[in-house]
Every structure is written in C-alpha cells, then in structure tokens.
Amino acid sequence: MPESTARTIDELVRWHAAHDGDKPMVIDPAARISYRELDDSTADLAARFVEAGVGKGTRVGLIMPNSTRWAQVAIALTRIGAVLVPLSTLLQAGELATQLRVAAVQFLVSVEEFRGHRYLDDLEAVPQTELPALQRVWTAEQLDDAPASDAARRLIEVMTQTVTPADPLVIMFTSGSSGTPKGVIHSHGSALGAVRSGLAARCIGSDTRLYLPMPFFWVGGFGSGVLSALLAGATLVTEELPRPETTLRLLEREGVTLFRGWPDQAETLARHATSAGIELPALRPGSLEALLPPDQRAKPGARASLFGMTEAFGPYCGYPADTDMPGSAWGSCGKPFAGMEVRIVDVETGEPVPTGTAGMIQIRGPHTLRGICGRSREELFTPDGYYPTGDLGQLDDDGFLFYRGRSDDMFKVSGATVYPSEVERALRAIDGVDAAFVTNVPGAAGERVGAAVVCRALTAEQLRDRARGLLSAFKVPAVWLLLDSDDDVPRGGTGKVDVRRLRELLSDQP
C-alpha cells in the first residue's frame, strides 16, 4: 500500500518501516529513531499499554515536552486505536484538572517536572471525585518499567487491524482569544487527510529535514510536525526548549532543510546567527524567510500566510511556500486546500455574502473536526454541515482568502471598525518590532486601540509616529505597553494570548 493511501497511523508506520527503515524519523539533541525503530519501539510500548488495560477508544493523556519519546508514546497509542489527549506543559493545576475532566481521560502519562511545573504533585491535590474517569497515572520512567506479556504482544497485531479512518485519533485542546478551552475531536481520516492536503504547500517531501518550534501538544506541532513527517516519510528535528544558541547548532548539525514556525523566532535566530557567524546553507525556499539569504526572500505579502485552526487540524488554506502568489492575491492566505469548502456569511444573519465582501468564515469537508467534547453536532454545525469558525475574511474572484480578524475581537472606535490583526500586521512591519498584540481598551470617551509591543530600542512615541505612516488615524494605538520579550505576553494554558488579561494590563497604562 503506498503511503499516500494509508488511512491510519498504524498503516503509515508499517509502510515506512518497510520502505524507509533506516531513515531517521525524529531527532532530538539526545536521541534519534529510524522508521524501523519507530515500528518496533511503538509496538513494544503498545503492548505495555494493553497489558495495563488500554484498548481501542481508551482516552490517554500525555504531558511531555517535545522529544523522540513524545512521538513514540503518541504513535504507540494511536496505532492500537486509543485516543491521544495531548496536554500542554504550560497548564496550571486547575487547568490540568479541568482538561482531564472535560476529555474524560482514563490513563495519563506525564513527566514529573518541566520548567517548574510539577504535574503529578498538582494531581495529588485534586479530589478523586473530580476526576472520576482517571484510572492510572504513569511517569515516563514507570512506563519504561511496565511489563508486557506475550499475550499482550500477540494481541497488538489484531488490535491494529480493527482501527479504521472513522475512529477517533486525538482530542486536542484549543481556545479562542478568550473562553474555556475546547476538546476538539479528530479521527484518523480527518487528521491525516488535513495534513496530507497541505504537504505540498508547506514544501514537505520525503527528503525534507523539518524543524519547527511548536510544542507537540498543539496541532501546529502534532499535525504540522509529527504527522507531516510521518505522512511524507520526512525527518523531524525537535528539542525540548528552543533557545537561539542551541537551536542554531541543532539546525546546523542536523542539516535542517525546512524551518517552519513563528516568524519572530526566525528573526531572533537570524540575528544570533549573524553575530555568531553561523550559516545554514541547507535551508531551502519555503523556510521562514528571515533565515534565508536575501536573494531568496520574497517581497512583503507575496507569499501566503498559511491559515487554519485546530478544528480543521491545522492549515486549511495556503499556497506553495516557495512561490509568489499572483499580484492581486498578495496579502492573502492563499486558497483552500483540496477537501475543504469555504464560504463567507453575514455575521448577523448567517446568509452567504457576495464575493469580495467580508464576513464570517465557515468551513465544511472531510478534514473538519468530528466533534467537541460535551457538545452535540447540532450545537457545532449549521444545518447544511458548515462549521462557523468565528474568523472573519473575504474571498476574491479567484478564490484567494483574505483574513480580517476574529468576529469576537473586532471593535469600533468613533463608529469605525478596527480589526486587531490588521493593526498587528502593520506594527510588526516596523523595524525593531518583534511582536505586537492589539485589543480594545475601554475608556471614559469610548473604546481606544491598545497595543502591547515586544520591541528593541523604541519608545511609545516613536512607535506611534511610525504607525501613523502605516494606518488610518483611528487605527493608530492610543495606549501602549512595551515588553522586553514574548515571555511577558499573558497567555492561557493553550498558549494563546489571554486577551482579557492583556486588556487589563493595557488599561493600567497612562
């Protein structure tokens, strides 16, 4: 069976073990495993899980930083039809308990500590009555020592054959800019189909050595990293905690050919590479451009900004990352990938709007979510099967999608509509600005535009002057908060910006 038609995680693992056995599948600074080793080690891990009572449909949480071990545990579980529940290493005790309860997690694999978080200690303080589904917790070390009988090992072969594309694969937690995190359910078919549809646009092939900084507990790490490598037969390079010096050496040592991820991280790495005299000649077009030689960089807006969400299992709209779009499409997110229908509707009425008109984006197709924990299908989808994303956008005559922000984020200043994403893009274009986050700030005279900016050697007045040359007067922030690093930006447990807390910080500024 060609890998392009593999329908489940197990089928992919077996195919690549047979055809790409010696090729590294995932590499971290301390370990590497080939596709053949992935097959053997995950079958062994799966047998240990089965011996402990994990079966098809069992929900298993995983708290672990990026590593080869994370990939092994995740793939072992999903090969036998267990449902993986990746949990953020950023979660505080209350958030962890909530997500375990919402997803009805039955088994949990966790590191004891990471970056000051002691997850198992946090769980000991939670009354058992609050987590009625949870049966057992393993540390990574306990999992290594867990026994597996010959009967359990023989059972693996049978169990993998019962898994179908319709079976649940993963519950991924996400949240919008505010609100309670949602447990989004994807099947083997919806997740693999979504990832497969975007491989070409992301320039991922069998000879790719891919690095991206996203944690594997996000869809950007699991789908765009682990599953992308597995589908393409590529090699994934990862690390627990990205730092400029160690990341650059890792990219150099492993001959990384494709760097995807956050533009601000690429810009930070580029500055360090220059000062350290490090060159990355293996990087190819399609990588984030700050790390490419100047002659390989596109003009601003010429390349698509991949656009997606957890409910679509990552990007559902894009354009080849190494190719300029037609001039009329500059600044767009590209076109919807195969298997995804996109329509734009009026925010108030839900009726489709004419081409070129902004409205709410709705999506439909085989790659969309299968459900959300605790919510019915009728709550999630329109009668004709579209999922209202809450994102705003518009389609042009050629089918290119332009993103216009979130329907719950847009606000009015003196009667004029402000889209935070538009202001953020303009601020990020200012030399010296590493990141920008915009929201409304209530005041006695009405709403004001507020901006929290991570920047180097710029004052609020200098930022305001430069913004006036890029934005209409009513869009120029009136309230500024200057931050030293992205770590100072308030975020929730899923890593997204906590807009409520950001608004509070901005409200405290003069």
Side-chain angles (χ1 to χ4, degrees):
M1 171 186 295
E3 61 82 21
S4 61
T5 60
R7 306 172 305 155
T8 66
I9 301 298
D10 179 70
E11 289 178 358
L12 276 169
V13 171
R14 292 176 187 270
W15 195 92
H16 285 299
H19 294 83
D20 301 304
D22 295 330
K23 180 189 290 186
M25 186 273 167
V26 59
I27 297 170
D28 66 33
R32 64 183 61 218
I33 53 173
S34 68
Y35 277 96
R36 185 176 296 110
E37 290 167 335
L38 180 74
D39 185 17
D40 294 340
S41 64
T42 56
D44 178 68
L45 265 175
R48 300 182 191 196
F49 281 123
V50 170
E51 188 73 32
V54 174
K56 185 175 181 180
T58 303
R59 296 183 176 190
V60 184
L62 176 58
I63 309 175
M64 191 178 290
N66 285 17
S67 61
T68 58
R69 190 58 166 169
W70 196 104
Q72 286 175 304
V73 172
I75 290 171
L77 289 166
T78 54
R79 288 185 73 175
I80 58 174
V83 182
L84 175 68
V85 186
L87 295 163
S88 170
T89 58
L90 305 173
L91 293 176
Q92 300 297 328
E95 297 170 317
L96 173 58
T98 296
Q99 293 192 12
L100 290 171
R101 184 168 57 252
V102 167
V105 168
Q106 297 158 278
F107 292 80
L108 176 66
V109 180
S110 174
V111 294
E112 291 194 53
E113 187 274 338
F114 181 63
R115 300 191 73 180
H117 292 268
R118 299 194 61 83
Y119 310 102
L120 303 185
D121 292 347
D122 291 344
L123 280 180
E124 287 182 0
V126 179
Q128 189 174 0
T129 54
E130 291 189 19
L131 299 173
L134 189 61
Q135 301 172 26
R136 184 169 179 180
V137 177
W138 288 287
T139 65
E141 292 75 18
Q142 289 170 334
L143 187 59
D144 287 336
D145 296 335
S149 65
D150 290 340
R153 297 181 191 281
R154 288 193 297 270
L155 192 57
I156 298 303
E157 189 70 25
V158 178
M159 292 180 69
T160 58
Q161 293 176 16
T162 69
V163 182
T164 73
D167 289 325
L169 168 74
V170 65
I171 296 173
M172 303 217 71
F173 276 94
T174 183
S175 66
S177 55
S178 60
T180 304
K182 300 173 290 186
V184 178
I185 305 168
H186 276 281
S187 67
H188 285 252
S190 66
L192 294 179
V195 174
R196 185 180 279 119
S197 71
L199 286 177
R202 290 182 287 125
C203 301
I204 299 175
S206 61
D207 63 343
T208 300
R209 294 175 76 87
L210 169 68
Y211 176 92
L212 77 171
M214 280 82 164
F216 291 165
F217 55 74
W218 289 339
V219 73
F222 183 46
S224 297
V226 177
L227 295 190
S228 289
L230 188 59
L231 272 164
T235 296
L236 177 64
V237 179
T238 190
E239 56 186 333
E240 281 193 3
L241 192 59
R243 296 187 180 92
E245 297 80 5
T246 55
T247 298
L248 285 168
R249 295 300 180 192
L250 182 63
L251 299 178
E252 181 182 46
R253 182 173 66 251
E254 298 299 340
V256 167
T257 62
L258 186 66
F259 183 104
R260 302 293 304 169
W262 291 299
D264 58 323
Q265 194 207 25
E267 291 164 4
T268 299
L269 287 175
R271 291 195 297 272
H272 278 80
T274 299
S275 61
I278 295 175
E279 296 184 357
L280 302 171
L283 284 182
R284 300 174 185 169
S287 298
L288 292 181
E289 295 191 342
L291 288 169
L292 295 174
D295 62 347
Q296 293 185 21
R297 300 176 193 173
K299 294 180 179 179
R303 303 284 167 85
S305 299
L306 291 175
F307 184 62
M309 62 193 316
T310 302
E311 291 89 334
F313 208 73
Y316 64 83
C317 196
Y319 201 78
D322 59 353
T323 305
D324 288 358
M325 295 183 291
S328 61
W330 284 25
S332 78
C333 304
K335 292 185 176 183
F337 295 147
M340 185 64 74
E341 298 176 65
V342 173
R343 74 178 178 189
I344 311 297
V345 303
D346 183 271
V347 175
E348 299 296 332
T349 67
E351 293 297 317
V353 299
T355 299
T357 303
M360 184 186 289
I361 301 170
Q362 295 185 343
I363 58 176
R364 181 175 71 179
H367 305 159
T368 54
L369 69 163
R370 303 295 90 180
I372 289 177
C373 294
R375 299 182 65 182
S376 69
R377 184 172 182 84
E378 290 74 21
E379 291 179 85
L380 299 175
F381 297 93
T382 63
D384 55 353
Y386 279 89
Y387 177 73
T389 66
D391 293 319
L392 300 172
Q394 64 191 66
L395 290 164
D396 71 6
D397 291 332
D398 297 314
F400 286 90
L401 178 68
F402 291 79
Y403 177 62
R404 298 303 185 208
R406 289 283 302 172
S407 59
D408 50 1
D409 286 345
M410 70 180 200
F411 57 93
K412 291 185 180 292
V413 173
S414 300
T417 300
V418 175
Y419 296 106
S421 62
E422 179 186 7
V423 181
E424 289 169 353
R425 282 195 301 271
L427 296 180
R428 289 196 300 267
I430 297 173
D431 187 36
V433 171
D434 295 329
F437 307 90
V438 172
T439 188
N440 59 310
V441 180
E447 302 283 0
R448 297 169 293 166
V449 181
V453 179
V454 180
C455 63
R456 293 162 275 120
L458 289 173
T459 66
E461 190 58 41
Q462 289 171 323
L463 287 167
R464 186 178 293 109
D465 288 343
R466 287 164 174 75
R468 286 174 179 145
L470 301 170
L471 295 162
S472 300
F474 70 90
K475 299 176 186 177
V476 175
V479 183
W480 297 86
L481 173 62
L482 305 188
L483 304 173
D484 293 328
S485 76
D486 191 70
D487 292 338
D488 297 326
V489 179
R491 297 183 185 275
T494 60
K496 292 188 177 181
V497 175
D498 184 336
V499 175
R500 181 189 60 80
R501 178 62 182 141
L502 180 67
R503 190 175 294 119
E504 290 175 354
L505 292 173
L506 286 163
S507 295
D508 291 339
Q509 302 304 303

